[in-house]
Amino acid sequence: MGWCCLFLLFCFIWSFFVLGTYPLQSSQTQVLQQLRKHLEYPKQLEIWNNRSIDFCYLSSFPQVNITCQDYFVTELRIVGDKTAKVSDFHGFAIPKKTLSENFSLDSFVATLARLTNLRVLSFVSLGIWGPLPDKIHRLSSLEYLDLSSNFLFGSVPPKISTMVKLQTLKLDDNFFNDTVPNWFDSLSNLTILSLRNNQLKGQFPSSILSITTLTDLIMSSNGMSGKLPHLSSLTSLHVLDLSANKLDSVLPKMPKGVVMVILSNNSLFGEIPQQYGQLSQLQHLDLSFNVLRGKPPSAVFSLPNISFLNIASNMLSGSLPDHLSCGSKLEFIDISNNKLMGGLPSCFSTNSEKRIVEVDGNCLSFNTRHQHVESYCMEVYMKKQSKGKNAGILAGLIVGVFILMMLLAYGFLILWRIYCPKEISERHLLHKTVQDSFAAGFSSELLASARFVSEAAKSSLPVCQSYSFEELREATNNFDNSAFMGEGSYGKLYKGRLENGALVAIRCMPLSKKYSIRNLKLRLDLLAKLRHPHLVCLLGHCVDVGGRDDFSTNKIFLISEYLPSGSFCTHLAENSNGKVFNWSERLAILISIAKAVHFLHTGIIPGFFHNRLKTNNILLNEHGMAKLSDYGLSIISEETDKCGAKVEGYKSWQMKNLEDDVCSFGFILLEALVGPSVCARRDALLLNEIASINSLDGQKRIIDPIVQATCSQESLSIVLSIMSKCISLESCSRPSIEDVLWNLQYAAQIQGTISGDHRFDTASTQ
């Protein structure tokens, strides 16, 4: 019998360790190795160097914990050692404290999103920096998210509101500096919300009040201000910490089951509500360093579970009753630095070593050496009353001065409208035309001022300036034929050398008759503000109406940086004089241009959406970096090359969508796949071939052989799928440029990780 029991025990242990082992899918392992690369190989992940290691059994390492289920990673916890915080963070990498400047949080999150079964994610103190991208919501199965003690800044992504399974959200000790989000009501399963020690501002989010499952709400050490609403609807709340903010309201009502309330270091005023004396579960109450007045409720001291009570550094007054009862569990009381008078209750003066009582800085008759005299308390009270009256007088004076200034400003505006009507009409023309060119729904003031995101503001590219026609004539040797580079839909292009020796490209465009010179310069100034690493930099412009000769009459000259390595198109053709790009190089260029287009769409309000994208406008500098040229010119051009309504076939399909950047980008993808010679065929046969491109036979027939020889099948399939969506006949079914960019980055990651076994077997087709 004993041997039988031992045998059964052995079988049980064997089944636990052997049958319960689920080796990860290769794609999951690749994602983990990619994450390690993104995190710049931290020492906590050195154990991953062992290729034979079972990732699912790393729970014995305290800083790295991975849990798996059915061959997929479900929990991933990593604790780093980059805990040193800085007093101020400006959004750039800090040596030895953050990850390097090469770290891309956007790509990092895109890689994470491939762990589709992930339920628990905790990356703490890893030096992760940057704005948290919206695509974090692609981890739709997450129940626990902790990114504390990193260097995240900007806003908390609104798309987190779609992660409806989320139960715990911790973003403590970061640098989020936007307004406090107000979309928490969609997280109906949330139990813990912790945003402690950030720089969030704005009012307390009212959406939190509808989360009845919330147990812990921690938003201390931020910049929240305004009124604090009643919290009695949070029936499951146990812990509330809103300390070290700028809240200025009366104390709110609390839910009956609350255990810990910390509201210290705010500007809360009024009296302590009597309802606080009915919170039978309350153990910890800290209301110190506010401006609370009146007499503290006696019932608060005698709560059955209260152990910590701090109401110090307020303006509480009156006297505490001698027969005041203290709760049996009360271990710490601090009523110091108030205006309390009279004697000390007997339960305060007990000699019990288990209770600490702080009473200094009042007007109590107990221990007068550390108290103020009663007359001082009355004097201070009268001074505060007097200050209140003086403050009212000062406020009235300020209001009067403000009204006077408003009247003067209104009068000045009337005079300005009378004497400066021309300038007003010019700006009005800009507002109207720009609004027509971009998108409805924005105010004309917003369109004219054109707000840019930080990526443009931080750029170190040179400032756009105005050039004279004589300077351009000298730079091009009087526009000699040797300087002529070609002619496109936006005019002739010349190569020139400025007086400082810099090589530039000079585009000559016809001057639109519908814009005055003043209005045109306003448009050029708007165009000159576009700055991005993957946009050809506009260095200056010249508006010449001198009429010196036929060439210089009614012309606009745009001066931009010169890129010597040709266009993307020239590196796709097999008969090209330069290097023909392989698949990885093509993907890198496509990603760069997608980033530029994404900036044009979202980096300025309103966005630039009609940019006539094509491979000839993708230029390369001496380092091989791709930049987009001829962007945004629709706001200053005549737009003479729009298609006619009667054009038919493939050409009509492409030309009708010329104004759609996503569709145009789809044809750039197509050209990168099949080559410029095939893409130039605009006939029904090409349409049929595109329709069959998702099959292997169709791919081998139409896709560029260089692409076939250097790509992985999975990477190629991703690009083919997004390309087909981009050139869809139905504009509503096309993806956003953000989705295009994400898919291209994903394809590039796949291309970098898939082994040569998954490449096209070109030998079999020869």
Side-chain angles (χ1 to χ4, degrees), residues 247-304:
L247 299 169
D248 53 349
S249 69
V250 296
L251 289 172
K253 290 183 178 179
M254 293 291 167
K256 294 181 180 179
V258 70
V259 174
M260 178 181 293
V261 175
I262 305 176
L263 298 174
S264 56
N265 288 280
N266 281 286
S267 299
L268 301 171
F269 57 85
E271 298 185 358
I272 301 176
Q274 295 292 331
Q275 187 246 357
Y276 285 22
Q278 303 170 9
L279 303 175
S280 58
Q281 303 299 317
L282 189 61
Q283 300 177 15
H284 186 114
L285 178 61
D286 190 348
L287 304 176
S288 59
F289 293 95
N290 284 287
V291 285
L292 300 174
R293 296 177 179 271
K295 181 180 177 181
S298 301
V300 172
F301 296 90
S302 58
L303 288 171

Side-chain angles (χ1 to χ4, degrees), residues 649-651 653 667 670 674 678 681-695 697-699 701-703 720 723-724 727 729:
Y650 176 83
K651 184 175 181 179
W653 178 28
F667 285 104
L670 178 62
V674 304
V678 178
R681 291 166 37 207
R682 298 177 177 179
D683 50 28
L685 180 60
L686 180 58
L687 285 176
N688 294 332
E689 290 180 340
I690 292 175
S692 65
I693 203 170
N694 289 322
S695 67
D697 291 338
Q699 292 171 13
R701 185 174 61 254
I702 189 175
I703 289 179
L720 285 173
M723 181 271 293
S724 300
I727 62 176
L729 288 170

Side-chain angles (χ1 to χ4, degrees), residues 135-150:
K135 62 184 66 173
I136 189 73
H137 82 283
R138 291 172 178 164
L139 294 165
S140 56
S141 299
L142 270 189
E143 299 173 3
Y144 182 100
L145 176 59
D146 186 358
L147 299 176
S148 301
S149 299
N150 285 291

